[in-house]
């Protein structure tokens, strides 16, 4: 696996809580996770991601959108808009889109619906998809495993270890892909993500 790359982690408080530099010591890590970030607020600060000039972007976003009671369609459109913008602004960057994490069983159908759409969309912008659900969900397959969370939302140390265990091979696959050499032509469709 190639090391020494500019690796940018982007997302909400789950990403903000990660010790990325310690977990990826051979890379030039930029941690751009922010507490409370939604797809809309991340859109407003996407210039930070572009300015970091990443070799690879690791994105996990959407959880706070569900907390804010956005619809599945709003969440999906918000993530899609982010991905389209990143692909346009960072044509040579490898993109890794991670599934929205499980939370409680009553929220599982909506989150899994969004993840199905995002998995299908990821190839449209030549992003790799990493499904974290199987590794982090409980035996019912619908909620975050109790030992992986401190409060039903945020990850415990054990939860982060389980996430990183999935992320390591995911990044290895991502780094095995050549970076794009030219911008991808995509439709620019404004999305209402407010």
């Amino acid at each position: 696996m190639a090391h020494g790359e500019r690796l940018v982690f982007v997302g909400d408080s789950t990403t903000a809580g990660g010790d990325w530099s310690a977990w990826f010591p051979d890379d030039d890590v930029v941690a751009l996770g922010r507490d409370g970030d939604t797809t809309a607020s991340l859109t407003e600060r996407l210039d930070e991601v572009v300015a970091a000039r990443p070799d690879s972007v690791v994105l996990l976003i959407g959880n706070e959108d569900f907390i804010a009671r956005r619809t599945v369609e709003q969440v999906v459109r918000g993530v899609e808009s982010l991905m389209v913008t990143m692909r346009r602004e960072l044509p040579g960057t490898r993109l890794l889109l991670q599934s929205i994490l499980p939370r409680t069983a009553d929220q599982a159908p909506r989150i899994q619906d969004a993840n199905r759409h995002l998995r299908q969309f990821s190839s449209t912008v030549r992003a790799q998809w990493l499904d974290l659900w199987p590794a982090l969900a409980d035996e019912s397959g619908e909620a975050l495993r109790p030992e992986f969370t401190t409060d039903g939302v945020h990850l415990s140390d054990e939860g982060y270890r389980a996430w990183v265990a999935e992320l390591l091979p995911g990044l290895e696959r991502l780094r095995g892909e050549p970076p794009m050499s030219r911008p991808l032509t995509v439709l620019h469709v404004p999305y209402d993500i407010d």
Side-chain angles (χ1 to χ4, degrees):
M1 174 165 39
H3 292 292
E5 294 186 341
R6 172 70 56 97
L7 189 55
V8 177
F9 291 88
V10 184
D12 57 28
S13 59
T14 304
T15 300
D19 193 1
W20 304 110
S21 293
W23 296 330
F24 296 91
D26 296 328
D27 290 299
D28 179 12
V29 171
V30 178
L32 294 178
R34 298 289 184 272
D35 289 350
D37 240 3
T38 62
T39 53
S41 60
L42 179 53
T43 298
E44 293 172 3
R45 67 181 189 87
L46 205 52
D47 58 333
E48 292 178 44
V49 178
V50 175
R53 309 194 61 60
D55 293 303
S56 299
V57 171
V58 180
L59 176 65
L60 177 59
I61 194 75
N63 189 48
E64 294 289 338
D65 292 80
F66 280 114
I67 292 172
R69 299 188 184 281
R70 293 209 170 97
T71 66
V72 169
E73 183 177 359
Q74 288 172 317
V75 175
V76 169
R77 295 288 182 219
V79 177
E80 288 177 351
S81 179
L82 285 166
M83 296 297 291
V84 165
T85 302
M86 279 194 280
R87 178 50 70 215
R88 185 178 63 243
E89 298 296 322
L90 298 166
T93 298
R94 295 176 185 95
L95 302 176
L96 180 66
L97 177 60
Q98 301 168 98
S99 62
I100 302 168
L101 302 182
R103 292 180 41 126
T104 59
D106 62 309
Q107 295 170 322
R110 295 176 65 226
I111 296 173
Q112 288 176 317
D113 189 24
N115 282 337
R116 274 190 293 277
H117 288 288
L118 294 173
R119 181 186 69 238
Q120 292 170 352
F121 176 79
S122 61
S123 62
T124 305
V125 290
R126 295 191 186 164
Q128 290 226 6
W129 172 256
L130 180 59
D131 188 2
L132 299 171
W133 197 282
L136 298 179
D138 65 10
E139 290 179 3
S140 73
E142 296 183 346
L144 190 57
R145 288 176 58 172
E147 65 271 25
F148 286 172
T149 182
T150 57
D151 58 5
V153 177
H154 298 96
L155 293 180
S156 64
D157 290 344
E158 194 173 345
Y160 277 107
R161 281 192 294 274
W163 179 10
V164 171
E166 294 298 307
L167 190 53
L168 286 168
L171 277 172
E172 191 162 345
R173 284 189 305 275
L174 181 72
R175 292 177 191 205
E177 293 292 316
M180 292 183 57
S181 58
R182 60 183 171 76
L184 182 68
T185 304
V186 291
L187 287 174
H188 179 66
V189 181
Y191 294 120
D192 178 15
I193 58 174
D194 293 328

